[in-house]
């Protein structure tokens, strides 16, 4: 039965400066488990992608974007597992499976590659995406650090 | 009262946290040294600066230097791809250099190393 060693809850406005803030917070949180440089880099990348998705998409339909929030919670277990959950209550995703296919993008073509979910999947051990149109999206990623 | 030594202004010491691209212009070549972490936020300003310089100078070659870049996510790939597109419209080639092993992880994931008109060093 795994135990929680540490956890955090963070709420940030969905503005792009906070991509770096989220990365730094998750870095600091995970650092206590002494990950390898690669593991930490991967997790930072995955978190950066999830947070960016939130900022670019979740609240694009409301006129004043800064009102929307990103909710980040993270847990560290005694099994060296880190879980990070990133959620919003924005516009949600119509078709999650389609959104998760590589190169699918609803952003500005050639500046947004549609790689966010691919990166998240490749750099973590498991990824779950739950979303309902109009209700928001929750991305939960798990990474198991080497002993 | 503590007296602080006066620092001479120098180009080296003036790189602030918010500095994002340093340009080196040579004959036929424009080098863009990218500085901070590259994410969706920093990308926006960087690409405007690079595009402006690119269209001003119209070099034969655009070099994107990632040597000093720490963190990079898929926005960095979008940055490269977008510049390749813009440079192609000017018949310029794009060379990317200084990618670290951690950058290469995400580059290989995207297959960017197989895009034509683009050389990775």
């Amino acid at each position: 039965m795994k135990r929680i060693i540490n956890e955090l809850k963070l709420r940030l406005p969905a503005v792009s400066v906070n991509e770096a803030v989220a990365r730094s917070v998750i870095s600091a949180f995970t650092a206590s488990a002494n990950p390898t440089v690669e593991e930490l880099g991967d997790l930072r990348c995955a978190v950066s992608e999830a947070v960016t998705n939130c900022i670019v998409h979740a609240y694009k339909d409301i006129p004043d974007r800064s009102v929307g929030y990103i909710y980040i919670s993270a847990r560290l277990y005694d099994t060296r597992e880190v879980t990070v959950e990133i959620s919003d209550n924005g516009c949600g995703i119509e078709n999650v499976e389609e959104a998760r296919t590589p190169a699918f993008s609803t952003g500005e073509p050639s500046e947004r590659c549609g790689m966010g979910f691919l990166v998240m999947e490749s750099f973590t051990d498991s990824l779950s995406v739950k979303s309902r149109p109009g209700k928001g999206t929750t991305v939960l990623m798990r990474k198991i650090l080497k002993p | 009262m503590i007296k602080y030594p006066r620092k001479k202004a120098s180009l080296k010491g003036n790189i602030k946290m918010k500095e994002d691209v340093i340009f080196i212009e040579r004959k036929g070549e424009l080098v863009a040294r990218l500085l901070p972490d590259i994410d969706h936020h920093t990308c926006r300003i960087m690409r405007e600066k690079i595009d402006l310089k690119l269209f001003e100078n119209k070099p034969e070659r655009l070099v994107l230097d990632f040597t000093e870049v720490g963190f990079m996510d898929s926005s960095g790939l979008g940055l490269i791809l977008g510049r390749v597109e813009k440079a192609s419209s000017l018949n310029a080639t794009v060379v990317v250099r200084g990618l670290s092993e951690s950058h290469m992880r995400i580059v290989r994931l995207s297959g960017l190393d197989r895009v034509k008109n683009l050389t990775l060093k």
Side-chain angles (χ1 to χ4, degrees):
Chain A
M1 181 69 199
K2 61 189 184 190
R3 287 185 313 127
I4 301 169
I5 301 179
N6 201 1
E7 59 184 347
L8 77 78
K9 262 186 158 54
L10 176 66
R11 186 190 73 170
L12 293 168
V15 285
S16 55
V17 276
N18 283 333
E19 289 154 24
V21 175
R23 288 198 300 270
S24 292
V25 170
I26 295 299
S27 279
F29 179 77
T30 312
S32 64
N34 208 12
T36 65
V37 172
E38 200 175 86
E39 285 171 336
L40 192 60
D42 287 355
L43 192 58
R44 289 183 79 199
C45 233
V47 167
S48 197
E49 299 290 350
V51 169
T52 301
N53 271 353
C54 201
I55 291 163
V56 171
H57 298 292
Y59 303 106
K60 63 180 183 243
D61 294 329
I62 64 173
D64 180 10
R65 270 193 218 193
S66 63
V67 169
Y69 286 107
I70 310 169
Y71 302 86
I72 302 176
S73 61
R75 277 183 170 173
L76 178 62
Y77 294 92
D78 61 355
T79 48
R80 293 186 65 68
E81 180 184 319
V82 185
T83 60
V84 184
E85 186 184 85
I86 293 157
S87 62
D88 62 74
N89 36 37
C91 61
I93 304 171
E94 280 275 350
N95 186 340
V96 172
E97 270 205 45
E98 185 186 54
R100 282 178 74 160
T101 56
F104 177 84
S105 177
T106 56
E108 221 185 296
S110 98
E111 299 291 351
R112 306 283 310 138
C113 320
M115 270 189 64
F117 283 122
L118 179 63
V119 172
M120 284 185 248
E121 273 171 27
S122 310
F123 288 3
T124 60
D125 293 306
S126 86
L127 181 78
S128 94
V129 182
K130 291 202 168 83
S131 186
R132 279 176 61 197
K135 301 278 184 194
T137 305
T138 298
V139 171
L140 175 63
M141 50 185 86
R142 285 170 67 228
K143 192 158 182 77
I144 300 167
L145 307 175
K146 293 196 195 89
Chain B
M1 186 173 123
I2 303 167
K3 275 193 168 178
Y4 293 100
R6 280 187 46 187
K7 282 185 178 169
K8 277 197 195 158
S10 73
L11 189 62
K12 273 191 188 173
N14 274 354
I15 296 174
K16 299 179 186 149
M17 277 198 78
K18 288 219 167 168
E19 205 73 77
D20 35 33
V21 197
I22 292 180
F23 292 105
I24 303 166
E25 297 158 74
R26 291 197 194 99
K27 203 168 170 196
E29 184 180 86
L30 173 65
V31 179
R33 272 175 54 200
L34 308 176
L35 296 179
D37 294 347
I38 300 179
D39 60 17
H40 159 253
H41 178 75
T42 57
C43 245
R44 288 201 284 205
I45 311 150
M46 265 195 252
R47 72 173 186 238
E48 273 171 24
K49 287 190 177 177
I50 299 173
D51 288 348
L52 198 68
K53 222 31 182 207
L54 187 65
F55 282 92
E56 248 173 44
N57 290 29
K58 296 196 179 49
E60 283 156 20
R61 210 162 84 132
L62 170 67
V63 179
L64 299 172
D65 193 337
F66 282 71
T67 323
E68 275 150 282
V69 173
F71 171 85
M72 177 173 95
D73 65 8
S74 69
S75 319
L77 305 176
L79 181 75
I80 298 171
L81 277 173
R83 299 319 112 245
V84 169
E85 211 180 276
K86 297 275 191 315
S88 295
S89 74
L90 293 170
N91 286 324
T93 57
V94 179
V95 172
V96 177
R97 68 171 182 225
L99 289 169
S100 72
E101 194 43 52
S102 56
H103 300 151
M104 284 308 293
R105 279 170 70 77
I106 202 169
V107 168
R108 276 187 221 113
L109 201 63
S110 67
L112 198 71
D113 40 354
R114 296 189 292 273
V115 169
K116 93 179 176 146
N117 253 9
L118 174 64
T119 322
L120 299 176
K121 284 189 186 170

